[in-house]
Amino acid sequence: MAKSKTKSAFVCEDCGAEHSKWQGQCSVCSAWNTLSRVNITPIANAAVGYAGVTAQVKKLSEIEALETPRIASGFKELDRVLGGGFVPGSVVLIGGDPGAGKSTLLLQACTTLAQSKGVLYVTGEESLQQLAMRAKRLSLPLDGLSVAAETRAEIIANLIEEQKPAVVILDSIQVMQMESVDSTPGSVSQVKETAAYFTRLAKQKDVVIVLVGHITKEGGIAGPKVLEHMIDCFMMLDSPAGSRFRTLRGHKNRFGAVNELGVFAMTDMGMKEVANPSAIFLQRGDVDSPGSIATVTWEGTRPLLVELQALVDDVAGGHPKRVAVGLDQQRLAMHLAVLHRHCGIALGDQDVFANVVGGVRIAETGADLAVLLAVLGSFRDRVLPRDLIVFGELGLTGELRPVTNGQERLREAAKHGFKHAIVPFANSPKEKLGNMSVHGVKTLAAALEVVAGL
Ligand code: TYD
Ligand code: MG
């Protein structure tokens, strides 16, 4: 067999692009002085993220597609985002700001999981004492879980070889390093090479590897962009400012639905699952105020009730502002144009702010109608009934378009005691839902008429 030769490449520390020669400026992201030399050792079958072994051609029908049993993580909300638990041989990246609760969540899950399976928790950030103290304070079962404080990838690979765990946690990928890569830990090239190394290991040993990453929403250095193509699942643990709730959202999943949402609360006894997220996101104060409305969005595989708020105020000098938090800003501007053109309501001399309460991000169009009604409510200083729920996508011609899973959304609203609903005509229910009266409308103008009559 030919002896494998070490090659070197130049990797941009900012964007992770590889170049064969050194150059002053990265030709991909245009950053200056960011290239550094990386030694690449070729490994047989080293295709990153490739799970197969042979190069034979077969008919798809000849391949046995076995559903491998999933490993339950110990948290139903985490399993939901994973698509039903960990898949053996898969690599999961959990990102989030420092302090979001990634280590706490995984420690809790692992100590439970270790009661029935081999689990290895490798910490490169905290000492073993800190880890043990936290587990004790949270009254977690201490027997079962194997722990190691290590950052060298090759040594961790040996530990995995010896211990043969079913699940390995690497906390965090930013501090892990490979001796063969001569670049500092946390740099793009280290993170990329180390993650690729562990991805191959996961496939070879059929072990679940969970990588923890300090990743901000913007991505930043060694962010998800660099890793996303090689891992199987990528999820973010978000901690809205000042809130004790944490949302775990799937951004990529080779084994389940993306955009799935898990909800936790950070308590003094660690992370607690929130079984009924609609109830917490819809906690409204006692005072009814204009500009507030409830809507029901669709998150992965389940409905979620949320409150939208809007504030409309005279322009305070300069251009009118359009600010959307947790919503798409461009869509807000578009809705205001529809409101003007099709309903004759002009907000050109008003600042418009819209916000989703509780720090949830709505990435679908079903909230369109609710945003507009909240804006109008604030503009006209009109309090909308508390037991009114609305959803629907708004088209540029002023028509109200149906959304997916309309019936399930309405059922969720009825379950939480809503009495009136305004929805797109095509989402009207076939049969009566509790004692909720549902108005199916075809246009925004028709929706406004219904609101006026409530
Ligand atoms: P941690 O899991 O260390 O965050 P990460 O690994 O994502 O950086 O969580 C740290 C934060 O959580 C810290 O601000 C303290 C808080 N916390 C609690 O509120 N309750 C608890 O029981 C624990 C363990 C942490
Ligand atoms: Mg941590």
Side-chain angles (χ1 to χ4, degrees):
M1 212 173 91
K3 200 165 165 257
S4 62
K5 223 175 97 196
T6 305
K7 275 197 333 192
S8 58
F10 295 87
V11 175
C12 171
E13 295 290 337
D14 268 12
C15 71
E18 260 176 44
H19 305 272
S20 55
K21 287 198 307 266
W22 190 84
Q23 52 202 54
Q25 186 183 22
C26 172
S27 50
V28 175
C29 71
S30 310
W32 287 93
N33 289 327
T34 51
L35 297 203
S36 61
R37 181 198 291 271
V38 178
N39 292 330
I40 299 167
T41 322
I43 300 171
N45 284 325
V48 167
Y50 172 62
V53 276
T54 54
Q56 280 171 13
V57 176
K58 284 185 177 176
K59 286 274 181 281
L60 202 50
S61 57
E62 291 166 20
I63 300 160
E64 256 187 294
L66 290 176
E67 266 291 320
T68 38
R70 304 240 180 179
I71 303 172
S73 68
F75 276 120
K76 282 207 186 69
E77 293 292 292
L78 178 55
D79 288 346
R80 168 192 294 284
V81 183
L82 287 166
F86 292 115
V87 175
S90 68
V91 179
V92 179
L93 172 65
I94 299 190
D97 297 324
K102 303 179 292 296
S103 304
T104 308
L105 179 72
L106 287 170
L107 186 65
Q108 285 178 260
C110 284
T111 45
T112 316
L113 192 55
Q115 301 304 306
S116 57
K117 293 242 182 286
V119 184
L120 174 63
Y121 191 112
V122 183
T123 171
E125 300 202 335
E126 292 167 287
S127 68
L128 294 180
Q129 281 80 1
Q130 278 174 313
L131 209 61
M133 260 163 54
R134 183 183 299 185
K136 264 209 192 97
R137 202 178 59 70
L138 299 179
S139 313
L140 300 174
L142 299 179
D143 53 336
L145 182 64
S146 309
V147 291
E150 186 54 71
T151 57
R152 290 162 296 177
E154 291 86 352
I155 294 182
I156 296 170
N158 286 341
L159 290 178
I160 295 174
E161 182 72 35
E162 274 166 38
Q163 304 269 327
K164 305 208 175 356
V167 178
V168 179
I169 313 290
L170 300 177
D171 190 357
S172 67
I173 186 68
Q174 268 94 357
V175 297
M176 299 296 161
Q177 52 179 318
M178 282 177 73
E179 269 169 51
S180 54
V181 180
D182 60 356
S183 181
T184 49
S187 64
V188 170
S189 36
Q190 269 293 359
V191 168
K192 210 172 143 182
E193 289 304 314
T194 318
Y197 178 77
F198 282 116
T199 304
R200 290 193 295 269
L201 199 71
K203 312 286 167 199
Q204 277 167 12
K205 306 278 175 224
D206 209 27
V207 53
V208 178
I209 297 192
V210 181
L211 307 174
V212 175
H214 298 296
I215 294 165
T216 55
K217 277 184 212 96
E218 290 72 38
I221 196 156
K225 266 204 291 228
V226 181
L227 300 179
E228 217 164 343
H229 68 283
M230 59 178 105
I231 55 171
D232 299 302
C233 300
F234 168 46
M235 54 186 79
M236 284 284 291
L237 186 65
D238 286 318
S239 50
S243 165
R244 67 191 183 94
F245 293 107
R246 304 286 187 264
T247 55
L248 186 67
R249 188 184 288 279
H251 289 270
K252 169 183 178 176
N253 193 350
R254 285 187 179 149
F255 314 108
V258 284
N259 258 331
E260 196 64 78
L261 188 75
V263 184
F264 296 88
M266 179 60 99
T267 68
D268 53 358
M269 284 307 285
M271 296 279 257
K272 289 247 154 46
E273 296 183 272
V274 176
N276 184 359
S278 288
I280 61 139
F281 284 115
L282 209 61
Q283 263 172 16
R284 299 160 106 181
D286 297 332
V287 191
D288 284 332
S289 19
S292 156
I293 197 164
T295 188
V296 48
T297 77
W298 193 257
E299 298 292 340
T301 54
R302 68 175 164 181
L304 179 69
L305 293 167
V306 287
E307 179 188 352
L308 288 182
Q309 291 184 344
L311 180 70
V312 178
D313 197 13
D314 294 342
V315 170
H319 281 293
K321 289 192 192 68
R322 273 84 182 92
V323 179
V325 181
L327 296 158
D328 186 347
Q329 197 130 323
Q330 306 273 6
R331 278 196 90 76
L332 175 62
M334 203 166 89
H335 298 335
L336 297 180
V338 173
L339 192 64
H340 182 208
R341 187 71 170 67
H342 295 286
C343 303
I345 301 167
L347 297 178
D349 55 353
Q350 303 286 319
D351 284 337
V352 178
F353 305 90
N355 177 37
V356 188
V357 176
V360 187
R361 255 209 79 78
I362 300 182
E364 58 137 16
T365 52
D368 289 358
L369 180 62
V371 175
L372 260 188
L373 293 186
V375 167
L376 263 185
S378 172
F379 181 55
R380 296 196 162 145
D381 213 17
R382 157 126 204 251
V383 176
L384 294 169
R386 197 174 252 262
D387 54 7
L388 168 70
I389 188 108
V390 305
F391 61 81
E393 177 182 331
L394 196 61
L396 281 181
T397 56
E399 89 275 23
L400 214 53
R401 306 169 58 87
V403 296
T404 53
N405 307 99
Q407 306 306 301
E408 286 89 339
R409 294 186 203 227
L410 282 171
R411 244 178 266 132
E412 176 81 355
K415 205 170 85 192
H416 284 83
F418 285 86
K419 297 279 182 296
H420 303 278
I422 306 176
V423 303
F425 185 75
N427 285 133
S428 308
K430 315 265 172 312
E431 56 209 46
K432 192 138 175 49
L433 281 166
N435 57 354
M436 186 161 71
S437 69
V438 182
H439 306 265
V441 290
K442 290 186 173 155
T443 61
L444 174 63
L448 297 188
E449 263 173 48
V450 176
V451 173
L454 282 176

